[in-house]
Amino acid sequence: MGPQDTEEETQRVLIDAAMIASDIACEDAWLRYFGLGGTLDDFDIDGFLAGLISLPLTECNLLAHAVNELIEEQPPHPKAPYRTSRFEPVNTGGRDDVLDELLRQWLFGSTDRTHRQRDA
């Protein structure tokens, strides 16, 4: 196993971990990869992610790009609320239920983030 094999294995493990952490199915990753110009079929991608076959560098990078695009499209995770020094809940826009606000942020994303993405 040469240095490139080690780099490929590291990339494979990290792509797989990113997919698992983001709950991205292999089929979704392959569909995005194929849409970006990937030339391999879904069995090749599945075999690569399982560690059974090797892929050319350009195909590995295109798969990583596809997975990263899918991750960027996901709504942000809810954030933990802060409290003031008097241990009062932070103002959540007039809502008393902090969990409801966190759920709304997780499901629909923060309006600030939405505006930044559109402006970019």
Side-chain angles (χ1 to χ4, degrees), residues 54-72:
S54 181
L55 296 182
L57 176 65
T58 55
E59 300 302 319
C60 287
N61 286 338
L62 192 57
L63 177 61
H65 186 74
V67 169
N68 288 335
E69 280 190 3
L70 290 169
I71 291 170
E72 288 177 7

Side-chain angles (χ1 to χ4, degrees), residues 7-103:
E7 290 173 7
E8 180 182 359
E9 178 62 11
T10 300
Q11 185 181 27
R12 182 195 69 77
V13 168
L14 294 175
I15 290 171
D16 192 45
M19 289 175 61
I20 291 169
S22 301
D23 199 26
I24 296 173
C26 186
E27 297 82 21
D28 295 332
W30 174 79
L31 190 59
R32 178 62 59 96
Y33 156 87
F34 189 74
L36 291 171
T39 60
L40 303 174
D41 63 30
D42 57 335
F43 294 110
D44 291 327
I45 299 302
D46 193 37
F48 170 72
L49 292 171
L52 301 174
I53 64 170
S54 181
L55 296 182
L57 176 65
T58 55
E59 300 302 319
C60 287
N61 286 338
L62 192 57
L63 177 61
H65 186 74
V67 169
N68 288 335
E69 280 190 3
L70 290 169
I71 291 170
E72 288 177 7
E73 291 174 2
Q74 292 183 347
H77 294 286
K79 295 184 175 154
Y82 293 99
R83 297 187 308 175
T84 65
S85 60
R86 293 183 177 190
F87 298 108
E88 298 171 13
V90 171
N91 183 355
T92 58
R95 293 186 181 191
D96 293 327
D97 188 357
V98 174
L99 291 177
D100 183 48
E101 177 64 15
L102 290 172
L103 182 59

Side-chain angles (χ1 to χ4, degrees), residues 71-79 101-114 116-117:
I71 291 170
E72 288 177 7
E73 291 174 2
Q74 292 183 347
H77 294 286
K79 295 184 175 154
E101 177 64 15
L102 290 172
L103 182 59
R104 184 196 63 75
Q105 286 179 14
W106 183 67
L107 291 173
F108 304 110
S110 167
T111 55
D112 292 337
R113 181 180 174 141
T114 304
R116 279 189 293 232
Q117 287 178 344

